[in-house]
Amino acid sequence: MASSKIEICEVGPRDGLQNEKRIWSVDERVELIDRLSATGVPRIEAVSFVNPKRVPQMADAEQVMAKITRPAGVSFAGLALNAKGAERAIEAGVDEVRYVVVASETFNQRNQGASIDETLAGFSDIADKVSNAGLKLSATVAAAFGCPFEGNVEAAQVARIAKQLADGGCVEIGVADTIGSGVPTQVSEIYGLVRGAVGPDIGLGFHLHNTRNTGFANAAQAVGEGVLFLDSSVGGLGGCPFAPAATGNIATEDLCFMLRNMGYETGIDIDAYVEVSKWAEGFFDSPLPGQIMKAGLFPESAA
Ligand code: MG
């Protein structure tokens, strides 16, 4: 039976801001993270230790980590794509290091500048460092539901990559619908094959985007499969409203509303989350995609 608890990993400060045109200052990013960590969310992907020339939105991760408050019970993750990034993450004091492998060869080449096999080999370079530092080691299998260059991605390929990550010491794996093309039947197919490949002890989750409005259907399917965690972003941050194919993550507070009314626990104060979304929205010229911040909770909002 599926657990009644779902762990939300807030990725707005990383995946969200990374995909917004406006570059947030260190102090703004710190305030966003501090506001989020006060809502009861247990896990925040706060920073990325990638080359700031490639991703200027994520520069100065060390400063962000040094300035945020660290409430008890909240885990802070940093993304690292290579050994140098992992060393920076450990030095900066993250609780979790997240690695990324893209499930399609073309996209992985473009994103990581290496083949999938080379990227998997690179994981072993960082695994020992992270484990020896006593930190959680996790990974995301990106573009697992579809690739913008190659089209369909085989679920068996996602499972093959997941198994290699698990064999390499990864304790949690997130399967990402990076371009928001997935549908619920894919969630079940991928979950089944990945679970079969990695065994019962690896924590599995999904990282969902709402590009084609299937993100929440996919999330509902995922909790039915018994996932440990879901990634989402405050207000649905991350989809540039001026881009033709906006690719925001599913909005955390909308996800929490759905899960709460389905009978699942997240531990998150949804009203407090909506306040953070409204605050964050003030930095943009257009409304954020989140719907609960507009419609209100139900039944609370009923007359
Ligand atoms: Mg993403």
Side-chain angles (χ1 to χ4, degrees), residues 98-148:
R98 274 189 170 189
Y99 193 67
V100 177
V101 182
V102 187
S104 92
E105 195 64 53
T106 309
F107 200 169
N108 196 75
Q109 292 272 5
R110 292 207 187 198
N111 204 55
Q112 333 281 78
S115 71
I116 291 175
D117 284 344
E118 286 165 343
T119 305
L120 285 166
F123 182 69
S124 59
D125 292 342
I126 79 160
D128 285 349
K129 290 185 205 294
V130 175
S131 301
N132 290 342
L135 306 181
K136 182 194 269 189
L137 177 63
S138 65
T140 298
V141 183
F145 289 72
C147 167

Side-chain angles (χ1 to χ4, degrees), residues 14-15 178 207 209 249:
R14 206 283 302 168
D15 203 22
T178 306
H207 172 108
H209 284 249
N249 293 94

Side-chain angles (χ1 to χ4, degrees), residues 4 8 29 32 37 67-68 90 117 132 144 156 160 166 172 174 181 225 237 278 284 294 296:
S4 65
I8 301 293
R29 287 155 66 194
L32 174 63
S37 71
K67 285 185 161 187
I68 57 171
I90 294 164
D117 284 344
N132 290 342
R160 180 183 76 84
E172 287 188 14
S181 65
E225 294 291 351
L237 257 182
K278 288 178 175 170
F284 300 100
K294 304 173 185 94

Side-chain angles (χ1 to χ4, degrees), residues 82-95:
N82 52 37
K84 179 158 182 275
E87 283 164 12
R88 285 178 61 199
I90 294 164
E91 187 69 21
V94 301
D95 300 301

